[in-house]
Amino acid sequence: MTASFDLKGFLAREALGVQAALERALEALEETLDGDVAGATRHGVLSEGKRLRPILCVAAYRACGGEKEEAVYDLAASLELIHAYSLMHDDLPCMDDADLRRGRPTTHRVHGEDATLRAGAALIPAAALQAWRAADRLGCASSTRRSVVAALLAASGAGGMVGGQWVDLEAEGKGLGPAELDDLHRRKTGALLAAALDMGTLAAGAPRPTREALIRYGRAIGLAFQIADDILDATATAATLGKNPSDNDLNKSTYVALHGLDEARRLAEEQVTEALGAVAEAGVDAPELEALARYVVERTH
């Protein structure tokens, strides 16, 4: 099924929908921000990226029968607002001290650390409000709207992305075992990817078994994505990645360091197989999700 699927065209079309939704979100948000913070926010949010999280949300929504197109892009944009904030803060000197992100100077290099800190912080409540309003436009009941926002924030906070980032910082210079490394990245990378599927299925009113299967898909591709990132960090150049490879410099535990390149590649493929099995179990016709599962390990940046 995926062999004939035009993934490149699909990603390009979906990115346009996500970009328009991000523009709408920023126009509303910028009215409430100081000028320097608004500039930093726009820089961090609109930098080029794969937009994988919002695209997954939209794909899950459609696969489960959702039909309201513009509003679901607005829902999906909430995930990208959280993702953008995490990258802006992750690049700061007190974190990874990165100069490049997506092929251009990082936000704090252009707008300063203070504005970047405040811009990232502003995106957290903005994302929650964005998700609530979009779910309302999608016709979700108030209980469902609460579940959608709760899924977003649970994946973003201490039990998910932020907690994983904390473990990642604490682990610098230490050797993590396989289970510890999996736990770190299921939180740091996988939680928000799984939330994208959860939010899309919730908004579409999917039955619980379908939701649970697609959440498992999200968790599997989240881990596959991180393993692929580690492989790219070990093998690609800054020109290809759009950022400077940093795992080795920061003495981080990675799948490549722990398992070697060949085994890391095998583990990534194992997660893709698990993701495809979850789509089959969900019983949905979703060539987009199948193609995206393969994309996360076959991408070059």
mmCIF file of all heavy atoms in Angstrom, residues 47-85:
data_model
loop_
_atom_site.group_PDB
_atom_site.id
_atom_site.type_symbol
_atom_site.label_atom_id
_atom_site.label_comp_id
_atom_site.label_asym_id
_atom_site.label_seq_id
_atom_site.Cartn_x
_atom_site.Cartn_y
_atom_site.Cartn_z
ATOM 1 N N SER A 47 10.096 28.578 11.840
ATOM 2 C CA SER A 47 11.280 28.016 11.198
ATOM 3 C C SER A 47 10.889 26.723 10.499
ATOM 4 O O SER A 47 9.966 26.023 10.911
ATOM 5 C CB SER A 47 12.375 27.750 12.234
ATOM 6 O OG SER A 47 11.937 26.801 13.190
ATOM 7 N N GLU A 48 11.572 26.422 9.406
ATOM 8 C CA GLU A 48 11.209 25.232 8.636
ATOM 9 C C GLU A 48 11.363 23.978 9.488
ATOM 10 O O GLU A 48 12.285 23.851 10.281
ATOM 11 C CB GLU A 48 12.086 25.130 7.388
ATOM 12 C CG GLU A 48 11.804 26.202 6.357
ATOM 13 C CD GLU A 48 12.600 25.997 5.087
ATOM 14 O OE1 GLU A 48 13.265 24.946 4.970
ATOM 15 O OE2 GLU A 48 12.564 26.887 4.226
ATOM 16 N N GLY A 49 10.458 23.042 9.305
ATOM 17 C CA GLY A 49 10.516 21.794 10.046
ATOM 18 C C GLY A 49 9.670 20.748 9.359
ATOM 19 O O GLY A 49 8.948 21.028 8.390
ATOM 20 N N LYS A 50 9.740 19.526 9.873
ATOM 21 C CA LYS A 50 8.998 18.424 9.265
ATOM 22 C C LYS A 50 7.498 18.511 9.552
ATOM 23 O O LYS A 50 6.697 17.919 8.840
ATOM 24 C CB LYS A 50 9.565 17.092 9.794
ATOM 25 C CG LYS A 50 10.975 16.801 9.282
ATOM 26 C CD LYS A 50 11.546 15.550 9.905
ATOM 27 C CE LYS A 50 12.104 15.786 11.288
ATOM 28 N NZ LYS A 50 13.282 16.655 11.325
ATOM 29 N N ARG A 51 7.103 19.192 10.629
ATOM 30 C CA ARG A 51 5.689 19.309 11.038
ATOM 31 C C ARG A 51 5.070 17.936 11.252
ATOM 32 O O ARG A 51 3.875 17.727 11.005
ATOM 33 C CB ARG A 51 4.866 20.092 10.012
ATOM 34 C CG ARG A 51 5.455 21.428 9.563
ATOM 35 C CD ARG A 51 5.707 22.375 10.712
ATOM 36 N NE ARG A 51 6.010 23.734 10.264
ATOM 37 C CZ ARG A 51 6.694 24.621 10.966
ATOM 38 N NH1 ARG A 51 7.159 24.288 12.162
ATOM 39 N NH2 ARG A 51 6.913 25.829 10.518
ATOM 40 N N LEU A 52 5.883 16.982 11.703
ATOM 41 C CA LEU A 52 5.421 15.602 11.817
ATOM 42 C C LEU A 52 4.291 15.453 12.821
ATOM 43 O O LEU A 52 3.315 14.739 12.568
ATOM 44 C CB LEU A 52 6.603 14.703 12.205
ATOM 45 C CG LEU A 52 6.298 13.211 12.360
ATOM 46 C CD1 LEU A 52 5.758 12.631 11.051
ATOM 47 C CD2 LEU A 52 7.548 12.464 12.806
ATOM 48 N N ARG A 53 4.394 16.120 13.966
ATOM 49 C CA ARG A 53 3.371 15.960 15.010
ATOM 50 C C ARG A 53 2.000 16.447 14.550
ATOM 51 O O ARG A 53 1.013 15.716 14.679
ATOM 52 C CB ARG A 53 3.838 16.653 16.293
ATOM 53 C CG ARG A 53 5.027 15.938 16.933
ATOM 54 C CD ARG A 53 5.923 16.866 17.740
ATOM 55 N NE ARG A 53 7.157 16.191 18.133
ATOM 56 C CZ ARG A 53 8.224 16.068 17.343
ATOM 57 N NH1 ARG A 53 8.224 16.589 16.120
ATOM 58 N NH2 ARG A 53 9.295 15.427 17.761
ATOM 59 N N PRO A 54 1.888 17.670 14.023
ATOM 60 C CA PRO A 54 0.570 18.085 13.541
ATOM 61 C C PRO A 54 0.058 17.253 12.373
ATOM 62 O O PRO A 54 -1.143 16.988 12.272
ATOM 63 C CB PRO A 54 0.768 19.552 13.150
ATOM 64 C CG PRO A 54 2.232 19.751 13.047
ATOM 65 C CD PRO A 54 2.868 18.786 13.985
ATOM 66 N N ILE A 55 0.941 16.836 11.487
ATOM 67 C CA ILE A 55 0.506 16.008 10.356
ATOM 68 C C ILE A 55 -0.034 14.680 10.845
ATOM 69 O O ILE A 55 -1.044 14.172 10.329
ATOM 70 C CB ILE A 55 1.665 15.831 9.352
ATOM 71 C CG1 ILE A 55 1.941 17.162 8.632
ATOM 72 C CG2 ILE A 55 1.343 14.744 8.336
ATOM 73 C CD1 ILE A 55 3.174 17.153 7.737
ATOM 74 N N LEU A 56 0.595 14.096 11.847
ATOM 75 C CA LEU A 56 0.086 12.853 12.424
ATOM 76 C C LEU A 56 -1.289 13.053 13.042
ATOM 77 O O LEU A 56 -2.168 12.186 12.937
ATOM 78 C CB LEU A 56 1.055 12.331 13.481
ATOM 79 C CG LEU A 56 2.308 11.625 12.970
ATOM 80 C CD1 LEU A 56 3.312 11.452 14.109
ATOM 81 C CD2 LEU A 56 1.961 10.278 12.349
ATOM 82 N N CYS A 57 -1.492 14.181 13.696
ATOM 83 C CA CYS A 57 -2.787 14.483 14.304
ATOM 84 C C CYS A 57 -3.878 14.552 13.244
ATOM 85 O O CYS A 57 -4.962 13.955 13.393
ATOM 86 C CB CYS A 57 -2.695 15.793 15.079
ATOM 87 S SG CYS A 57 -4.215 16.301 15.902
ATOM 88 N N VAL A 58 -3.599 15.262 12.167
ATOM 89 C CA VAL A 58 -4.572 15.395 11.082
ATOM 90 C C VAL A 58 -4.838 14.042 10.433
ATOM 91 O O VAL A 58 -5.990 13.684 10.148
ATOM 92 C CB VAL A 58 -4.075 16.415 10.033
ATOM 93 C CG1 VAL A 58 -4.998 16.437 8.812
ATOM 94 C CG2 VAL A 58 -3.970 17.811 10.645
ATOM 95 N N ALA A 59 -3.785 13.252 10.210
ATOM 96 C CA ALA A 59 -3.946 11.941 9.584
ATOM 97 C C ALA A 59 -4.793 11.014 10.449
ATOM 98 O O ALA A 59 -5.644 10.272 9.940
ATOM 99 C CB ALA A 59 -2.581 11.323 9.308
ATOM 100 N N ALA A 60 -4.584 11.040 11.758
ATOM 101 C CA ALA A 60 -5.369 10.202 12.662
ATOM 102 C C ALA A 60 -6.832 10.632 12.665
ATOM 103 O O ALA A 60 -7.742 9.789 12.671
ATOM 104 C CB ALA A 60 -4.790 10.271 14.071
ATOM 105 N N TYR A 61 -7.053 11.933 12.669
ATOM 106 C CA TYR A 61 -8.415 12.475 12.645
ATOM 107 C C TYR A 61 -9.153 12.000 11.391
ATOM 108 O O TYR A 61 -10.284 11.521 11.454
ATOM 109 C CB TYR A 61 -8.333 13.999 12.686
ATOM 110 C CG TYR A 61 -9.641 14.727 12.534
ATOM 111 C CD1 TYR A 61 -10.527 14.868 13.598
ATOM 112 C CD2 TYR A 61 -9.984 15.322 11.315
ATOM 113 C CE1 TYR A 61 -11.726 15.571 13.455
ATOM 114 C CE2 TYR A 61 -11.172 16.024 11.167
ATOM 115 C CZ TYR A 61 -12.035 16.139 12.238
ATOM 116 O OH TYR A 61 -13.217 16.827 12.096
ATOM 117 N N ARG A 62 -8.505 12.118 10.242
ATOM 118 C CA ARG A 62 -9.137 11.689 8.990
ATOM 119 C C ARG A 62 -9.364 10.175 8.971
ATOM 120 O O ARG A 62 -10.410 9.705 8.519
ATOM 121 C CB ARG A 62 -8.245 12.075 7.805
ATOM 122 C CG ARG A 62 -8.242 13.537 7.475
ATOM 123 C CD ARG A 62 -7.659 13.729 6.073
ATOM 124 N NE ARG A 62 -7.336 15.119 5.832
ATOM 125 C CZ ARG A 62 -6.115 15.559 5.544
ATOM 126 N NH1 ARG A 62 -5.103 14.727 5.480
ATOM 127 N NH2 ARG A 62 -5.908 16.845 5.313
ATOM 128 N N ALA A 63 -8.355 9.428 9.432
ATOM 129 C CA ALA A 63 -8.466 7.967 9.413
ATOM 130 C C ALA A 63 -9.646 7.484 10.238
ATOM 131 O O ALA A 63 -10.208 6.417 9.963
ATOM 132 C CB ALA A 63 -7.171 7.341 9.926
ATOM 133 N N CYS A 64 -10.021 8.274 11.243
ATOM 134 C CA CYS A 64 -11.135 7.905 12.126
ATOM 135 C C CYS A 64 -12.444 8.575 11.726
ATOM 136 O O CYS A 64 -13.398 8.603 12.514
ATOM 137 C CB CYS A 64 -10.781 8.232 13.571
ATOM 138 S SG CYS A 64 -9.403 7.254 14.215
ATOM 139 N N GLY A 65 -12.492 9.129 10.525
ATOM 140 C CA GLY A 65 -13.739 9.653 10.002
ATOM 141 C C GLY A 65 -13.964 11.135 10.172
ATOM 142 O O GLY A 65 -15.031 11.649 9.814
ATOM 143 N N GLY A 66 -12.998 11.875 10.709
ATOM 144 C CA GLY A 66 -13.169 13.312 10.870
ATOM 145 C C GLY A 66 -13.207 14.032 9.536
ATOM 146 O O GLY A 66 -12.526 13.630 8.587
ATOM 147 N N GLU A 67 -13.986 15.108 9.468
ATOM 148 C CA GLU A 67 -14.208 15.776 8.184
ATOM 149 C C GLU A 67 -13.967 17.282 8.201
ATOM 150 O O GLU A 67 -13.936 17.911 7.141
ATOM 151 C CB GLU A 67 -15.647 15.512 7.706
ATOM 152 C CG GLU A 67 -15.921 14.033 7.431
ATOM 153 C CD GLU A 67 -17.359 13.778 7.013
ATOM 154 O OE1 GLU A 67 -18.196 14.702 7.192
ATOM 155 O OE2 GLU A 67 -17.643 12.671 6.517
ATOM 156 N N LYS A 68 -13.843 17.917 9.344
ATOM 157 C CA LYS A 68 -13.699 19.380 9.400
ATOM 158 C C LYS A 68 -12.230 19.749 9.224
ATOM 159 O O LYS A 68 -11.433 19.656 10.155
ATOM 160 C CB LYS A 68 -14.256 19.924 10.709
ATOM 161 C CG LYS A 68 -15.757 19.707 10.857
ATOM 162 C CD LYS A 68 -16.298 20.377 12.104
ATOM 163 C CE LYS A 68 -17.799 20.198 12.225
ATOM 164 N NZ LYS A 68 -18.362 20.846 13.434
ATOM 165 N N GLU A 69 -11.888 20.178 8.021
ATOM 166 C CA GLU A 69 -10.483 20.299 7.656
ATOM 167 C C GLU A 69 -9.749 21.451 8.340
ATOM 168 O O GLU A 69 -8.720 21.245 8.974
ATOM 169 C CB GLU A 69 -10.369 20.430 6.136
ATOM 170 C CG GLU A 69 -10.648 19.132 5.401
ATOM 171 C CD GLU A 69 -9.577 18.082 5.634
ATOM 172 O OE1 GLU A 69 -8.395 18.355 5.383
ATOM 173 O OE2 GLU A 69 -9.929 16.987 6.089
ATOM 174 N N GLU A 70 -10.231 22.692 8.201
ATOM 175 C CA GLU A 70 -9.467 23.821 8.726
ATOM 176 C C GLU A 70 -9.317 23.733 10.231
ATOM 177 O O GLU A 70 -8.235 23.969 10.779
ATOM 178 C CB GLU A 70 -10.123 25.143 8.344
ATOM 179 C CG GLU A 70 -9.309 26.354 8.805
ATOM 180 C CD GLU A 70 -9.871 27.677 8.326
ATOM 181 O OE1 GLU A 70 -9.751 27.968 7.123
ATOM 182 O OE2 GLU A 70 -10.426 28.412 9.174
ATOM 183 N N ALA A 71 -10.385 23.375 10.927
ATOM 184 C CA ALA A 71 -10.337 23.330 12.387
ATOM 185 C C ALA A 71 -9.385 22.263 12.899
ATOM 186 O O ALA A 71 -8.746 22.442 13.942
ATOM 187 C CB ALA A 71 -11.738 23.106 12.957
ATOM 188 N N VAL A 72 -9.249 21.152 12.175
ATOM 189 C CA VAL A 72 -8.328 20.121 12.665
ATOM 190 C C VAL A 72 -6.877 20.562 12.495
ATOM 191 O O VAL A 72 -6.003 20.206 13.297
ATOM 192 C CB VAL A 72 -8.586 18.750 11.997
ATOM 193 C CG1 VAL A 72 -8.046 18.681 10.571
ATOM 194 C CG2 VAL A 72 -7.951 17.639 12.843
ATOM 195 N N TYR A 73 -6.587 21.384 11.487
ATOM 196 C CA TYR A 73 -5.241 21.950 11.374
ATOM 197 C C TYR A 73 -4.964 22.892 12.547
ATOM 198 O O TYR A 73 -3.839 22.945 13.056
ATOM 199 C CB TYR A 73 -5.068 22.686 10.050
ATOM 200 C CG TYR A 73 -4.882 21.778 8.864
ATOM 201 C CD1 TYR A 73 -5.882 21.648 7.904
ATOM 202 C CD2 TYR A 73 -3.715 21.050 8.689
ATOM 203 C CE1 TYR A 73 -5.725 20.808 6.811
ATOM 204 C CE2 TYR A 73 -3.542 20.211 7.599
ATOM 205 C CZ TYR A 73 -4.556 20.092 6.667
ATOM 206 O OH TYR A 73 -4.390 19.267 5.582
ATOM 207 N N ASP A 74 -5.990 23.626 12.970
ATOM 208 C CA ASP A 74 -5.816 24.494 14.132
ATOM 209 C C ASP A 74 -5.553 23.669 15.391
ATOM 210 O O ASP A 74 -4.744 24.054 16.239
ATOM 211 C CB ASP A 74 -7.048 25.381 14.322
ATOM 212 C CG ASP A 74 -7.162 26.449 13.242
ATOM 213 O OD1 ASP A 74 -6.116 26.930 12.778
ATOM 214 O OD2 ASP A 74 -8.296 26.790 12.869
ATOM 215 N N LEU A 75 -6.242 22.540 15.520
ATOM 216 C CA LEU A 75 -5.966 21.636 16.640
ATOM 217 C C LEU A 75 -4.537 21.114 16.558
ATOM 218 O O LEU A 75 -3.785 21.135 17.539
ATOM 219 C CB LEU A 75 -6.955 20.460 16.616
ATOM 220 C CG LEU A 75 -6.706 19.363 17.656
ATOM 221 C CD1 LEU A 75 -6.894 19.892 19.072
ATOM 222 C CD2 LEU A 75 -7.619 18.164 17.407
ATOM 223 N N ALA A 76 -4.157 20.658 15.386
ATOM 224 C CA ALA A 76 -2.820 20.103 15.188
ATOM 225 C C ALA A 76 -1.730 21.132 15.458
ATOM 226 O O ALA A 76 -0.641 20.794 15.945
ATOM 227 C CB ALA A 76 -2.699 19.564 13.768
ATOM 228 N N ALA A 77 -2.012 22.398 15.172
ATOM 229 C CA ALA A 77 -1.013 23.451 15.394
ATOM 230 C C ALA A 77 -0.628 23.566 16.856
ATOM 231 O O ALA A 77 0.496 23.982 17.178
ATOM 232 C CB ALA A 77 -1.547 24.793 14.887
ATOM 233 N N SER A 78 -1.514 23.196 17.766
ATOM 234 C CA SER A 78 -1.177 23.265 19.194
ATOM 235 C C SER A 78 0.013 22.377 19.519
ATOM 236 O O SER A 78 0.840 22.715 20.379
ATOM 237 C CB SER A 78 -2.386 22.885 20.052
ATOM 238 O OG SER A 78 -2.738 21.516 19.893
ATOM 239 N N LEU A 79 0.117 21.255 18.844
ATOM 240 C CA LEU A 79 1.263 20.354 19.050
ATOM 241 C C LEU A 79 2.555 21.003 18.577
ATOM 242 O O LEU A 79 3.603 20.887 19.218
ATOM 243 C CB LEU A 79 1.040 19.046 18.293
ATOM 244 C CG LEU A 79 -0.032 18.124 18.865
ATOM 245 C CD1 LEU A 79 -0.720 17.346 17.754
ATOM 246 C CD2 LEU A 79 0.568 17.186 19.896
ATOM 247 N N GLU A 80 2.484 21.711 17.460
ATOM 248 C CA GLU A 80 3.687 22.359 16.938
ATOM 249 C C GLU A 80 4.109 23.535 17.810
ATOM 250 O O GLU A 80 5.306 23.828 17.926
ATOM 251 C CB GLU A 80 3.459 22.820 15.498
ATOM 252 C CG GLU A 80 4.737 23.182 14.755
ATOM 253 C CD GLU A 80 5.645 21.989 14.464
ATOM 254 O OE1 GLU A 80 5.221 20.828 14.647
ATOM 255 O OE2 GLU A 80 6.794 22.226 14.045
ATOM 256 N N LEU A 81 3.156 24.208 18.446
ATOM 257 C CA LEU A 81 3.516 25.286 19.373
ATOM 258 C C LEU A 81 4.320 24.727 20.548
ATOM 259 O O LEU A 81 5.317 25.322 20.973
ATOM 260 C CB LEU A 81 2.256 25.989 19.883
ATOM 261 C CG LEU A 81 1.408 26.733 18.846
ATOM 262 C CD1 LEU A 81 0.210 27.404 19.526
ATOM 263 C CD2 LEU A 81 2.228 27.763 18.073
ATOM 264 N N ILE A 82 3.887 23.588 21.071
ATOM 265 C CA ILE A 82 4.636 22.948 22.157
ATOM 266 C C ILE A 82 5.998 22.489 21.667
ATOM 267 O O ILE A 82 7.029 22.683 22.342
ATOM 268 C CB ILE A 82 3.841 21.761 22.742
ATOM 269 C CG1 ILE A 82 2.606 22.256 23.510
ATOM 270 C CG2 ILE A 82 4.734 20.898 23.632
ATOM 271 C CD1 ILE A 82 2.913 22.955 24.817
ATOM 272 N N HIS A 83 6.029 21.872 20.501
ATOM 273 C CA HIS A 83 7.298 21.391 19.951
ATOM 274 C C HIS A 83 8.266 22.555 19.733
ATOM 275 O O HIS A 83 9.461 22.450 20.062
ATOM 276 C CB HIS A 83 7.037 20.661 18.635
ATOM 277 C CG HIS A 83 8.263 20.077 18.010
ATOM 278 N ND1 HIS A 83 9.143 19.256 18.693
ATOM 279 C CD2 HIS A 83 8.772 20.187 16.752
ATOM 280 C CE1 HIS A 83 10.131 18.890 17.897
ATOM 281 N NE2 HIS A 83 9.929 19.452 16.721
ATOM 282 N N ALA A 84 7.752 23.674 19.207
ATOM 283 C CA ALA A 84 8.614 24.840 18.968
ATOM 284 C C ALA A 84 9.182 25.370 20.276
ATOM 285 O O ALA A 84 10.378 25.696 20.359
ATOM 286 C CB ALA A 84 7.820 25.926 18.242
ATOM 287 N N TYR A 85 8.337 25.486 21.303
ATOM 288 C CA TYR A 85 8.836 25.954 22.602
ATOM 289 C C TYR A 85 9.943 25.046 23.114
ATOM 290 O O TYR A 85 10.971 25.514 23.633
ATOM 291 C CB TYR A 85 7.684 26.055 23.607
ATOM 292 C CG TYR A 85 7.843 25.266 24.876
ATOM 293 C CD1 TYR A 85 8.776 25.634 25.848
ATOM 294 C CD2 TYR A 85 7.057 24.130 25.105
ATOM 295 C CE1 TYR A 85 8.923 24.876 27.004
ATOM 296 C CE2 TYR A 85 7.201 23.393 26.255
ATOM 297 C CZ TYR A 85 8.135 23.758 27.205
ATOM 298 O OH TYR A 85 8.292 23.012 28.338
#
